[in-house]
Amino acid sequence: MSIAASPPVPHHLAVIMDGNGRWAERRRRPRAIGHRAGARAVNVCIDFCLERGVQALTLFAFSSENWGRPEEEVGALMKLFLGALDREVEELHRRGVRVRFIGERERFAADIRQRMQVAESLTAGNTRLHLNVAASYGGRQDIAQAARALAADVAAGRLKPEDIDEAALGARISLADLPAPDLFIRTGGDHRVSNFLLWQLAYTELWFTDVLWPDLDAPLLQRALDDYAQRERRFGLTSAQVAGGATEKLPA
């Protein structure tokens, strides 16, 4: 008797955590309350990934554009961010989670930058789940910094212009050491990627829900994984090629 294959689980899950402010406004509460509720949903998502065997989780916590929000809201977010770094990192380390931050961290206050460094150093050897937090991050900025790095190599004579290809640029993009996201989830009802991981999402499966981030639960995440499991990922090939095992032509 043949045994049915287990449905595929994404190796790398990318998430835009949208809807905190609207969740609070619908309850006639300050937006900061929504962000606090959203922080609890982060733990739900991390627990789910650990239970299902997802290897990497990248969360869009704070975009480079979010600095333009009202000063009071940005201040509340920074306080929440600082508290989470103080509260959660030891437990994440105990559970085998590696924590990493991507984005322009120099825009954060010194105490937050110091705690980022401590979290990364403490958890650097963990491999059960790679938790990547995109903070003060923008996909265009990510690509621009990779282009600057290549330009510097050319100017220094370490690289020829004709040697610049997708692989060379991709090696300098954030999270280059991890596989690209297999599945992207956005809560909150909007259907766009909002300058998140623009390079990395080239062949990622997209899944959107109207559910606001603080209302996230494991059944909702499982719905996303069930939908992902039904999709055929062709990467520009035909169904026949994929079925025939032409995987050597697929992106890494």
Side-chain angles (χ1 to χ4, degrees):
M1 183 178 69
S2 62
I3 300 176
S6 299
V9 172
H11 297 292
H12 187 172
L13 176 62
V15 181
I16 290 183
M17 308 177 290
D18 197 15
N20 292 337
R22 281 171 287 156
W23 184 91
E25 289 166 357
R26 290 177 185 179
R27 289 159 177 77
R28 299 184 179 181
R29 306 295 301 279
R31 289 174 64 87
I33 298 296
H35 293 303
R36 207 171 302 160
R40 292 192 292 271
V42 169
N43 289 327
V44 170
C45 193
I46 292 171
D47 290 346
F48 181 87
C49 288
L50 288 168
E51 291 169 4
R52 298 302 190 280
V54 175
Q55 297 171 7
L57 171 64
T58 301
L59 300 174
F60 205 4
F62 191 81
S63 76
S64 51
E65 293 79 16
N66 287 156
W67 291 107
R69 288 191 174 188
E71 185 176 343
E72 181 181 357
E73 182 173 352
V74 172
L77 281 166
M78 294 302 105
K79 185 176 180 181
L80 186 64
F81 196 31
L82 193 60
L85 286 169
D86 286 339
R87 259 190 338 269
E88 307 291 346
V89 171
E90 287 285 349
E91 176 64 12
L92 291 170
H93 178 51
R94 186 190 69 79
R95 301 177 75 185
V97 178
R98 180 187 179 186
V99 180
R100 179 163 39 169
F101 300 91
I102 60 172
E104 298 177 294
R105 69 176 68 190
E106 61 272 10
R107 297 190 66 176
F108 289 100
D111 53 350
I112 292 180
R113 295 199 306 271
Q114 189 269 338
R115 285 169 171 81
M116 287 178 172
Q117 181 60 50
V118 168
E120 290 180 330
S121 298
L122 176 66
T123 64
N126 296 337
T127 58
R128 189 178 173 202
L129 174 67
H130 293 264
L131 174 61
N132 312 298
V133 180
S136 190
Y137 174 87
R140 290 178 174 177
Q141 170 268 329
D142 195 1
I143 295 170
Q145 66 80 25
R148 284 195 299 272
L150 288 173
D153 284 347
V154 170
R158 294 187 295 266
L159 186 67
K160 297 178 181 179
E162 58 267 27
D163 292 332
I164 297 176
D165 55 13
E166 289 186 21
L169 185 61
R172 289 163 175 80
I173 293 287
S174 297
L175 309 180
D177 59 320
L178 294 175
D182 304 289
L183 176 63
F184 162 97
I185 295 174
R186 180 172 186 153
T187 61
D190 287 332
H191 295 82
R192 55 179 177 266
V193 297
S194 294
N195 199 24
F196 180 45
L197 301 179
L198 296 181
W199 179 274
Q200 299 90 333
L201 293 179
Y203 280 100
T204 300
E205 297 295 323
L206 309 181
W207 194 84
F208 300 93
T209 176
D210 291 336
V211 172
L212 302 178
W213 178 251
D215 291 325
L216 181 90
D217 58 17
L220 179 72
L221 289 168
Q222 188 59 52
R223 277 174 47 203
L225 262 63
D226 291 344
D227 184 73
Y228 169 80
Q230 300 302 313
R231 301 189 188 186
E232 181 184 57
R233 307 191 71 201
R234 296 189 298 276
F235 300 95
L237 304 180
T238 67
S239 296
Q241 285 177 299
V242 174
T247 54
E248 70 279 357
K249 298 181 181 179
L250 302 185

